[in-house]
Amino acid sequence: MAATDVERFSNEEKRNLSLGGHVGFDSLPDQLVSKSVAQGFSFNILCVGETGIGKSTLMNTLFNTTFETEEASHYENVVRLRPRTYDLQESNVQLKLTIVDAVGFGDQINKDESYRPIVDYIDTQFENYLQEELKIRRSLFNYHDTRIHVCLYFITPTGHSLKSLDLVTMKKLDSKVNIIPIIAKSDTISKSELHKFKIKIMSELVSNGVQIYQFPTDDEAVAEINSVMNAHLPFAVVGSTEEVKVGNKMVRARQYPWGVVQVENESHCDFVKLREMLIRVNMEDLREQTHTRHYELYRRCKLEEMGFKDTDPDNQPFSLQETYETKRKEFLCELQRKEEEMRQMFVNKVKETESELKEKERELHEKFEHLKRIHQEEKRKVEEKRRELEEEMNAFNRRKVAVETLQCQSLQATSQQPLKKDKDKKNFFSLPSSCSITSGRYVN
Ligand code: GTP
Ligand code: MG
């Protein structure tokens, strides 16, 4: 259909026709209800609050059951998100309830990054849903939706003001999840202090620009109760699974030496208000807000980050195919650039190694030449020494021969002239002044 045809069609006047009798499409809402009931619902609650603030007790009290709980230690190095899913049924309605605990929140010495694991967890659930939506064969109909529908933020009942950790965390979460702040263990704070504390909390949230969930007032059926309840925020709650006898009735309460705090007594705490608002009146709105507001924001940012746009720079509709092609081209260019960069890096590295090797070779050569020179010098010295020794040996041999000759002559003379014996003997032993005979050895 051409663009002009679409325009003409949409501008055409719509005509109202009256029906001749009952057709049956007025049962559409009923069909929707029965289909939804058959399909079941999912609801995911995130509990953020200090260790031991009463998160598990409140969950047990809210759903009037006992969920498995595990006491957290105060020595967690980082905040850890622990989801647990339960199948609940009330009348014929099935509810898949997931309670996610932020274990170790507020226990680290450095709390700067305490909010990050919580933000990451929420984003991961959005990402999983987006990936399912982007699949060619998607099965959103029976997809287990784990996106967080509400964050119950447990405020410590100090009576003073919010901690900076509370403000920073709520600020980081407010664009990602519906936050309902609650004052935990409100039985530990007096009535007048609680009133002032509530006012202080609300003014601090406003002055720090923290957006908490507002119960919707656009639906006439619930507008009145919701607007009244908005004025009661943050709810001051008390949790207990203990049953105490009050009058002739067993009620859930906390018993103290001085009296009993009844969980479901509206003059004692806001537990009933919280349960009404969270479960009975606004559960569907929380689910809807999660999808239409928080998830939509995540999806838009994510797709824009991936390069998808609805319109091109000339304000013309941008098709998915065009976006894909542009992104593909960008990606290929980037790949080519990276390849070239790596090739250049490799060449540089080879050159560097080559020059290093050359330098090493030159050093080795120099070392070799030096050793060669030393060796030659030593060889020359040894030669000189050998020559000197040879000369000495020759001189010695000459003297030896001379001595032997003289000995022979003397012997002969002795045999011929015995009378001249003493005189010749004296001559024979008259050696040069530089020579002497010691113990029969000739020493120079
Ligand atoms: P972790 O999961 O270990 O972080 O603790 P938690 O926040 O789940 O607290 P939990 O519900 O285990 O409660 C801790 C202690 O606080 C228990 O002794 C509860 O009985 C007590 N407690 C829970 N709710 C309240 C309350 O409303 N008022 C008072 N005074 N004590 C409470
Ligand atoms: Mg717990």
Side-chain angles (χ1 to χ4, degrees), residues 1-2 12 34 64 73 78 109 127 134 142 253 294 312 317 323 333 360 380 417 422 427:
M1 203 186 286
E12 251 177 34
S34 69
N64 203 8
S73 98
V78 285
I109 294 170
E127 183 61 31
L134 294 176
N142 55 5
H294 303 300
D312 65 10
T323 312
C333 283
K360 283 236 160 66
R380 195 186 56 73
Q417 297 172 316
D422 287 344
N427 284 344

Side-chain angles (χ1 to χ4, degrees), residues 55-57 69-72 82 101:
K55 302 182 286 292
S56 305
T57 310
T69 52
E70 206 177 276
E71 227 175 79
R82 184 180 58 198
D101 248 332

Side-chain angles (χ1 to χ4, degrees), residues 27-221:
S27 72
L28 206 54
D30 302 330
Q31 290 174 37
L32 210 64
V33 168
S34 69
K35 201 174 161 185
S36 300
V37 167
Q39 199 184 328
F41 300 89
S42 68
F43 192 64
N44 308 318
I45 304 176
L46 168 67
C47 295
V48 181
E50 286 174 12
T51 303
I53 193 73
K55 302 182 286 292
S56 305
T57 310
L58 188 76
M59 285 301 111
N60 288 342
T61 321
L62 266 177
F63 288 92
N64 203 8
T65 184
T66 311
F67 298 113
E68 47 186 311
T69 52
E70 206 177 276
E71 227 175 79
S73 98
H74 281 282
Y75 307 105
E76 296 276 347
N77 290 332
V78 285
V79 178
R80 190 164 48 84
L81 279 291
R82 184 180 58 198
R84 283 198 173 132
T85 303
Y86 307 91
D87 282 317
L88 306 178
Q89 182 163 1
E90 192 172 32
S91 310
N92 61 341
V93 178
Q94 308 255 358
L95 180 72
K96 204 181 262 296
L97 175 74
T98 302
I99 299 172
V100 185
D101 248 332
V103 181
F105 183 76
D107 281 335
Q108 292 72 40
I109 294 170
N110 182 354
K111 299 182 183 67
D112 287 359
E113 294 286 297
S114 293
Y115 68 87
R116 190 160 295 286
I118 305 172
V119 168
D120 288 349
Y121 182 87
I122 296 172
D123 280 348
T124 307
Q125 310 320 308
F126 284 150
E127 183 61 31
N128 292 346
Y129 192 86
L130 180 65
Q131 289 305 323
E132 187 61 36
E133 256 190 355
L134 294 176
K135 275 185 189 168
I136 294 174
R137 287 162 190 257
R138 51 193 186 167
S139 51
L140 290 170
F141 175 72
N142 55 5
Y143 174 79
H144 177 207
D145 187 2
T146 54
R147 293 172 299 174
I148 299 294
H149 299 118
V150 64
C151 164
L152 291 181
Y153 195 94
F154 290 69
I155 298 166
T156 315
T158 58
H160 287 251
S161 60
L162 284 172
K163 296 178 185 175
S164 53
L165 174 67
D166 298 329
L167 283 169
V168 169
T169 310
M170 280 197 259
K171 186 82 198 123
K172 292 284 177 190
L173 295 183
D174 71 354
S175 60
K176 295 184 177 289
V177 68
N178 302 308
I179 301 175
I180 299 183
I182 52 180
I183 301 168
K185 298 189 179 180
S186 66
D187 53 327
T188 59
I189 188 168
S190 77
K191 203 169 176 173
S192 59
E193 277 176 341
L194 185 65
H195 181 67
K196 283 186 208 145
F197 192 36
K198 277 190 176 190
I199 294 171
K200 188 93 196 270
I201 290 169
M202 287 315 282
S203 81
E204 278 189 336
L205 290 176
V206 171
S207 60
N208 285 282
V210 178
Q211 297 271 321
I212 59 167
Y213 175 72
Q214 293 291 306
F215 303 116
T217 49
D218 43 7
D219 179 355
E220 265 178 42

Side-chain angles (χ1 to χ4, degrees), residues 276-398:
E276 288 285 295
M277 288 293 98
L278 180 70
I279 302 173
R280 206 181 61 81
V281 183
N282 295 305
M283 203 182 226
E284 183 47 26
D285 186 70
L286 286 161
R287 283 159 38 89
E288 200 182 298
Q289 291 284 321
T290 301
H291 186 73
T292 55
R293 207 170 124 219
H294 303 300
Y295 172 66
E296 209 52 38
L297 179 66
Y298 176 85
R299 183 180 168 279
R300 200 180 69 219
C301 294
K302 195 75 193 182
L303 293 182
E304 278 174 1
E305 206 178 277
M306 284 159 80
F308 293 103
K309 289 184 194 92
D310 286 335
T311 52
D312 65 10
D314 305 324
N315 237 9
Q316 292 301 310
F318 216 48
S319 79
L320 204 67
Q321 179 67 23
E322 277 174 79
T323 312
Y324 170 73
E325 280 302 327
T326 325
K327 267 277 144 195
R328 195 167 163 272
K329 272 186 205 142
E330 270 176 29
F331 175 73
L332 285 177
C333 283
E334 181 67 14
L335 199 73
Q336 226 169 356
R337 194 185 60 75
K338 284 232 162 85
E339 255 179 32
E340 181 56 33
E341 216 175 83
M342 279 178 77
R343 205 181 59 77
Q344 198 55 43
M345 249 166 70
F346 179 72
V347 169
N348 289 346
K349 200 87 199 152
V350 167
K351 274 186 187 162
E352 236 171 63
T353 317
E354 202 177 273
S355 70
E356 266 172 27
L357 279 174
K358 272 190 182 154
E359 179 63 19
K360 283 236 160 66
E361 194 186 337
R362 197 186 55 74
E363 277 173 15
L364 271 175
H365 193 73
E366 265 178 19
K367 217 171 180 172
F368 173 73
E369 285 296 320
H370 178 68
L371 284 173
K372 204 169 137 190
R373 273 197 302 278
I374 292 174
H375 173 73
Q376 275 173 352
E377 182 64 20
E378 275 175 1
K379 198 175 159 192
R380 195 186 56 73
K381 282 181 185 162
V382 169
E383 276 295 317
E384 215 164 84
K385 210 87 188 156
R386 196 172 64 85
R387 220 172 32 252
E388 278 172 18
L389 277 171
E390 267 176 11
E391 270 168 24
E392 271 177 28
M393 265 170 69
N394 288 342
F396 173 77
N397 283 340
R398 273 197 306 277

